Amino acid sequence: MTDIKLYNTKTRRKEAFEPIRAQDVRMYVCGPTVYDRAHIGNARPVIVFDTLYRLLCHVYGAEQVTYVRNFTDVDDKINARAAESGRSIGEITDETIAWYLEDMAAVGALEPSAMPRATGYIGEMIAMIETLIEKGHAYAAEGHALFRVRSYAHYGALSGRDVDDMIAGARVEVAPYKEDPMDFVLWKPSSAEQPGWDSPWGRGRPGWHIECSAMAKALLGDVFDIHGGGLDLQFPHHEDEIAQSCCANGTSEMARVWMHNEMLQVEGKKMSKSLGNFFTVRDLLAQGVPGEVIRFVFLSTHYRKPMDWTEKKRDEAEATLRKWRALTAGVVAGDLSPAVVSALADDLNTAGAMAELHRLASAGDAAALKASAGLLGLLDDAAGAWALGPDMSVFEGVLFEARQLAMQTKDFSEVDRLKAAYVAAGLEVRMSKEGVELVPSAGFDANKLEGVL
């Protein structure tokens, strides 16, 4: 069996992965708050942990792996969106979940084993809060239930923070019902206009952190193998999850391995609406950027390194995938490259795996390329329609002949016309004495070539 090593944020080192139960691998990944389209940064953890899921299924067998990714469908952002739009919360969350699943499928993500909605586990959340109060780790105050941070001696261990330093150096909510500024909300009261459920502390709704603890316990047990998410969730979300889960369940840990992907940049800058570089996955798809190209760009950078989305990378990814799809067209997948499996097993080294795919393509090993790319969610036959287009050799031949004639007549008008039409269609024109090469860019539109010849 392939030996997998994963970087554990909790221990800050790479460790050999051994599931708690030999044939029952369990992974939980924090999912989206469903009030709007997923931006491109939201797609990174999906692609990262989808790739890990594929690897785990390859090594242990799909039937031995349980992958849970939740939907947060009760949140103040959702409430605000409902108030702004005049639509019901249910309409907004149902629509947004459908959008999310469609967009993530477009980037090649498999659906997890379970995709629980927070609103389906309110009873489990209330029960967990009651247990925390009974054990002295939480308390009720003015319709709220709050977690006593100082009751958990290991709070801050995941993120490497000290509670007193956090109070001194960070903005914390000061509220009269808090015993300590660092205590966080498990339950809060709801107004008549807000969604709410009956509880021992009055009508209200859960705090964000308790949701994942309750859903993970219900679906994966008190302690499970892997908990993943973006680096932005490490504190306070994951720190709070650990505290409330361990205290409620009486365990020393919530998950054996904690994994966090780094953040995404756009053209070297932090993605921000104020900088005008904020866009959603759907924006890219609508512009004609194939989901497979998005996935390729993301996988080219190791998940623990910041990833920079650039137009150049997008163009290069599309050109490479077109070549790979041409090479593997009609080919039956062969054996997986051991080097690809080895790279992925080494803390999900997708950059190393991609380098091996390039080598396989250069060697002309189409069968191994197709099989190995499939382990990374690439070159799936069902996702290749975007790469289909007119035979470039015809258009290349016409331009080459026109150029040869122009060299004799000194009339380059037809050459200029063809070049302009090709460029307008999204093709890069490369000419040499030996011939012409047309390379599709990310914005290639085959329809614009109609009537050119």
Side-chain angles (χ1 to χ4, degrees), residues 184-424:
F184 59 86
V185 172
L186 300 169
W187 189 266
K188 53 190 173 183
S190 294
S191 66
E193 296 77 27
Q194 294 172 322
W197 292 262
D198 292 332
S199 80
W201 319 286
R203 181 178 179 276
R205 60 200 191 279
W208 176 33
H209 313 301
I210 195 68
E211 297 176 8
C212 287
S213 285
M215 287 185 279
K217 175 182 173 69
L219 295 168
L220 299 175
D222 291 353
V223 182
F224 50 93
D225 298 298
I226 301 170
H227 194 315
L231 188 61
D232 57 322
L233 299 180
Q234 184 185 51
F235 182 87
H237 185 51
H238 289 166
E239 201 75 75
D240 291 354
E241 279 187 55
I242 292 172
Q244 62 202 7
S245 291
C246 290
C247 290
N249 300 330
T251 60
S252 61
E253 59 185 358
M254 178 186 184
R256 184 65 50 85
V257 179
W258 286 82
M259 296 178 67
H260 296 89
N261 64 273
E262 255 288 2
M263 297 296 98
L264 176 140
Q265 299 176 326
V266 176
E267 301 290 350
K269 297 180 180 179
K270 181 179 179 180
M271 188 169 65
S272 165
K273 289 183 178 179
S274 63
L275 294 176
N277 64 354
F278 180 96
F279 46 89
T280 67
V281 174
R282 179 52 49 178
D283 289 336
L284 288 179
L285 296 173
Q287 292 168 16
V289 182
E292 188 176 29
V293 169
I294 298 172
R295 187 181 186 96
F296 185 105
V297 174
F298 279 27
L299 292 177
S300 297
T301 299
H302 191 272
Y303 79 93
R304 285 195 291 114
K305 294 182 178 180
M307 204 220 80
D308 192 16
W309 175 271
T310 67
E311 293 295 311
K312 181 181 179 181
K313 288 181 180 179
R314 186 185 78 174
D315 289 344
E316 290 174 346
E318 181 162 342
T320 298
L321 281 168
R322 285 185 183 278
K323 292 177 182 177
W324 287 3
R325 283 199 168 275
L327 178 63
T328 59
V331 172
V332 176
D335 294 330
L336 284 170
S337 163
V340 168
V341 177
S342 177
L344 292 181
D346 182 14
D347 192 32
L348 214 61
N349 182 7
T350 56
M354 295 288 277
E356 173 63 9
L357 295 184
H358 281 286
R359 190 195 69 77
L360 292 172
S362 297
D365 192 345
L369 172 62
K370 189 166 187 176
S372 303
L375 187 57
L376 282 84
L378 300 170
L379 300 188
D380 188 303
D381 288 338
W386 69 269
L388 300 177
D391 184 356
M392 288 295 109
S393 64
V394 175
F395 292 88
E396 290 168 344
V398 170
L399 179 56
F400 182 73
E401 291 178 4
R403 185 171 182 272
Q404 294 295 92
L405 179 61
M407 295 294 289
Q408 300 174 20
T409 64
K410 306 304 180 185
D411 180 4
F412 286 85
S413 58
E414 179 63 6
V415 173
D416 293 338
R417 183 190 72 81
L418 289 170
K419 285 178 60 179
Y422 293 167
V423 170

Side-chain angles (χ1 to χ4, degrees), residues 139-142 144 146 173-180 183 185:
Y139 58 95
E142 299 182 23
H144 295 76
L146 299 107
E173 180 187 359
V174 178
Y177 49 79
K178 282 189 174 186
E179 292 180 355
D180 187 290
D183 293 349
V185 172

